[in-house]
Amino acid sequence: MLNFPVPYPNELIYSTIARAGIRHGLTSPKQLLNEVFEGNRRVIATLDLPNHLSSVLQQLPEHFSLETLAYRHTLFPLYSPFVPEDRRQRCLQWMAEQSQGAVHLAMGVAASIVKTPGHIRYCPACLLQQRQQYGEYFWERSWQAPGMTCCPLHGVLLNSNFVRPQKERHQFWPATPDTCPMFPQKSAPDKDRMIAEKVAEILILKPDRSPSFYQWTSYYRALAERFGLLRGTHQIDHAEVSHRIETYWSPSFLRSIGLTVNTDEDGWLRGIFRSHRKVFSYLQHLVVRGALYEGDWKVSDILDEVRSLPERSVVKQAIREGAPHEMILNSDQQQWLQLLVSYGPKAARQGNPALYARLYRSEYCWLMGVNQALKRPRLQQSTDRINWERRDDSHYQQLQEIVSFVTSQNTGPRRSKSFWLKQMKHQPSVEKNLHRLPRTNSFLHQLAESVDAHQIRRLQTESNQLRQTFDRPPRWRLLRDAGLSEERLTSAARIYLESLIREQDEQRNSEDQRNQG
């Protein structure tokens, strides 16, 4: 596309594509897709984490790169610091091409308790400044951040006429005076403005390596120790954490942004202070940090602190080289090593689950490393102790009983080999050891119903039922009641169906001749 517009600072690439359609006078959304995305007319107009950025890059000057586009004109920076590095790199590549929703799943957007706004939002005061400076409106990316309700400079954001998710999946809607009325704005509370300021900080972060889950776990462990949130020496005082969060933010505010604090074991606040195994939203991190540290702090300083913590791979390497015996171990670690030497990992875990749970939460990498290093070899169990011939006879008799019960009725799904296996007791064991059960295996092959036989059985059953109502059931009704169609009908079933129709015609003709005689 010639004269593709260059994105304005902090403009969503969605907005840039919409402005391109206006500049070229393209009223058809499909035509716009055809021009921008090289003939691909199935691109979804995505607001936050768009795909097919490689096609957009071809329309822009050479100084634009994939990272520049993702970090300056999408909401990618809101999620990238909180996912592992390999996932961050993978998501960038998905955004360059086509992900079919994988980016939103990998970034935690799809399953997040922080929901996306219901409309495309805007700030009237910012739009007026845009018109004075650039001569046109555009969508700023900070307006669409989940959990953010205000502009840090002017006040509460307003909803445009466009809902999210969009009903017209391929339509890029521009910001215009008609869709963004200049209504008065309410002033924003201090807490909302603070979140908006932190969102602005995150959005201007430069591309950098993402911390690992282990580093985030270590950071929150250190945070609990620093602010006196431990009960004893190991356990997190979750009641005190909840009290501080609700005291600072208030339950009503937390409810309004979707982060209600509850006492459940699987609550988000408990989870963020435990071992990280999933992605937490930027808003969850801001809520915790803001409540515990009321002074002046920057998001970039927090991320630098988290990145400076040891990674899991470093700890594993130290364990592999024998460092656990040279490290200063606490009492729990020393006790666990004694149990490992005496009993092995599995028996030690079963014998002292509380000790295992404490180490799992506080010293995960060390625990996994020593368990692997001191793992006992598994004894190979011999199968000679099983009388497979007797078991084969038992399964064969069981299968005969099942067959007599199932075949008493002519209805039901296709009776394939897997169907018969699912009717048996201990189905996984039977299926895995069929090579040791020749009689049962042979019987299953005999019983397995082909697609042809299954369709013929369905036609036969429905023909018998319909003849109780119709003298000559129509062909279309016979097919419909049997759940078949002309396209899916096999050749054998088609021959059988034609024979049924001829048989009905012959019976009708013979009856007519008898009546005339």
Side-chain angles (χ1 to χ4, degrees):
M1 173 182 279
L2 296 176
N3 299 321
F4 188 84
V6 176
Y8 293 125
N10 284 318
E11 181 186 13
L12 285 171
I13 197 62
Y14 172 98
S15 175
T16 309
I17 296 174
R19 289 194 297 112
I22 292 179
R23 290 193 178 185
H24 289 77
L26 302 177
T27 58
S28 168
K30 293 289 187 177
Q31 188 177 0
L32 177 60
L33 296 179
N34 193 56
E35 292 288 338
V36 177
F37 298 101
E38 302 173 340
N40 188 348
R41 302 169 65 125
R42 295 186 295 176
V43 176
I44 305 300
T46 308
L47 206 69
D48 50 359
L49 300 171
N51 295 166
H52 302 279
L53 293 185
S54 58
S55 298
V56 179
L57 284 172
Q58 296 182 9
Q59 315 290 343
L60 296 172
E62 293 183 356
H63 67 271
F64 278 90
S65 65
L66 177 62
E67 281 195 335
T68 302
L69 210 56
Y71 274 85
R72 292 291 173 260
H73 301 286
T74 74
L75 294 185
F76 187 75
L78 283 182
Y79 307 101
S80 60
F82 311 109
V83 299
E85 175 62 16
D86 59 337
R87 195 183 304 183
R88 182 186 78 91
Q89 295 287 351
R90 197 160 60 244
C91 288
L92 272 175
Q93 296 305 315
W94 282 337
M95 291 176 67
E97 302 302 334
Q98 181 178 1
S99 72
Q100 297 181 339
V103 174
H104 290 80
L105 287 173
M107 288 290 190
V109 181
S112 177
I113 61 176
V114 181
K115 301 305 178 185
T116 56
H119 291 76
I120 300 179
R121 299 177 303 183
Y122 68 99
C123 172
C126 289
L127 287 179
L128 291 176
Q129 292 180 356
Q130 291 174 4
R131 188 174 63 182
Q132 293 173 1
Q133 185 174 0
Y134 304 107
E136 58 183 333
Y137 292 167
F138 59 88
W139 303 114
E140 287 193 21
R141 53 185 182 151
S142 61
W143 300 342
Q144 318 308 330
M148 178 173 159
T149 60
C150 71
C151 169
L153 299 176
H154 304 114
V156 176
L157 297 172
L158 303 182
N159 292 333
S160 69
N161 297 342
F162 307 121
V163 297
R164 296 177 61 186
Q166 298 180 185
K167 296 180 180 178
E168 298 83 1
R169 303 174 64 201
H170 306 286
Q171 178 76 57
F172 289 85
W173 295 107
T176 64
D178 294 335
T179 58
C180 302
M182 293 296 145
F183 293 132
Q185 286 178 268
K186 297 181 180 179
S187 59
D190 293 338
K191 298 292 194 307
D192 295 81
R193 186 176 287 107
M194 188 272 279
I195 289 179
E197 291 171 354
K198 296 305 176 186
V199 168
E201 286 185 31
I202 297 174
L203 289 176
I204 62 173
L205 291 174
K206 296 181 179 180
D208 203 345
R209 176 182 59 86
S210 295
S212 66
F213 281 157
Y214 181 76
Q215 289 175 311
W216 278 114
T217 302
S218 302
Y219 170 75
Y220 276 97
R221 177 73 185 183
L223 202 65
E225 294 178 358
R226 189 186 313 170
F227 291 99
L229 298 174
L230 292 180
R231 188 171 55 192
T233 57
H234 297 288
Q235 294 185 346
I236 303 292
D237 191 348
H238 293 291
E240 179 62 22
V241 173
S242 302
H243 174 70
R244 294 200 189 182
I245 298 296
E246 292 186 321
T247 301
Y248 181 80
W249 294 101
S250 82
S252 60
F253 176 81
L254 293 171
R255 197 180 309 114
S256 66
I257 60 176
L259 296 181
T260 303
V261 174
N262 53 49
T263 57
D264 298 339
E265 283 293 322
D266 58 348
W268 72 268
L269 190 55
R270 284 177 177 260
I272 204 170
F273 277 93
R274 289 174 173 169
S275 181
H276 284 220
R277 299 182 191 87
K278 64 177 183 179
V279 178
F280 289 93
S281 166
Y282 81 93
L283 192 59
Q284 292 168 308
H285 292 281
L286 292 183
V287 164
V288 175
R289 181 68 186 192
L292 299 183
Y293 193 88
E294 298 187 22
D296 186 23
W297 54 277
K298 294 184 177 298
V299 176
S300 57
D301 294 338
I302 295 175
L303 293 175
D304 291 339
E305 180 182 353
V306 178
R307 292 189 185 101
S308 66
L309 297 172
E311 295 187 24
R312 179 179 300 179
S313 58
V314 176
V315 179
K316 282 187 174 180
Q317 183 64 29
I319 290 172
R320 238 181 262 117
E321 296 173 356
H325 304 286
E326 303 170 4
M327 296 166 56
I328 299 177
L329 306 180
N330 58 38
S331 58
D332 283 349
Q333 290 172 313
Q334 294 174 6
Q335 183 182 356
W336 183 254
L337 281 177
Q338 294 174 0
L339 291 173
L340 282 181
V341 173
S342 302
Y343 304 105
K346 184 176 180 180
R349 184 178 71 248
Q350 293 174 343
N352 201 331
L355 174 63
Y356 178 83
R358 290 199 300 272
L359 291 172
Y360 190 90
R361 292 176 181 174
S362 60
E363 303 291 345
Y364 176 83
C365 285
W366 180 89
L367 178 65
M368 294 298 107
V370 295
N371 285 356
Q372 186 66 28
L374 300 178
K375 184 178 180 180
R376 294 191 171 186
R378 178 179 296 181
L379 297 177
Q380 185 67 30
Q381 294 183 351
S382 174
T383 58
D384 297 340
R385 61 187 178 85
I386 301 175
N387 189 333
W388 289 105
E389 185 176 356
R390 183 186 304 170
R391 183 168 292 190
D392 191 13
D393 292 338
S394 174
H395 289 321
Y396 179 76
Q397 293 175 6
Q398 178 191 353
L399 198 55
Q400 283 184 319
E401 295 176 1
I402 294 172
V403 170
S404 61
F405 174 76
V406 171
T407 55
S408 61
Q409 296 181 347
N410 206 30
T411 58
R414 180 187 165 204
R415 298 162 186 173
S416 61
K417 184 178 179 179
S418 61
F419 168 84
W420 293 112
L421 282 170
K422 288 178 182 178
Q423 313 306 313
M424 301 180 69
K425 296 179 181 179
H426 314 296
Q427 176 253 333
S429 175
V430 175
E431 188 172 8
K432 187 170 67 173
N433 295 290
L434 277 176
H435 61 286
R436 297 190 178 99
L437 307 168
R439 196 177 181 191
T440 304
N441 193 19
S442 176
F443 193 36
L444 282 170
H445 280 294
Q446 295 175 16
L447 293 173
E449 186 179 42
S450 65
V451 176
D452 291 339
H454 176 49
Q455 291 190 354
I456 290 173
R457 176 166 60 87
R458 289 163 69 177
L459 289 169
Q460 185 181 31
T461 302
E462 295 304 327
S463 176
N464 293 336
Q465 291 182 354
L466 287 172
R467 284 186 179 183
Q468 298 176 7
T469 307
F470 299 93
D471 293 335
R472 296 174 58 191
R475 177 192 176 95
W476 65 268
R477 186 180 291 275
L478 189 58
L479 279 173
R480 188 192 66 179
D481 290 3
L484 300 172
S485 64
E486 294 288 353
E487 293 78 13
R488 291 188 293 129
L489 207 61
T490 63
S491 57
R494 191 180 302 278
I495 293 172
Y496 179 77
L497 178 60
E498 297 298 338
S499 67
L500 281 179
I501 300 299
R502 284 197 303 270
E503 182 183 350
Q504 293 175 8
D505 293 340
E506 291 173 358
Q507 290 179 357
R508 181 61 181 270
N509 292 334
S510 62
E511 290 177 1
D512 291 343
Q513 290 176 1
R514 284 198 302 268
N515 292 334
Q516 292 175 0

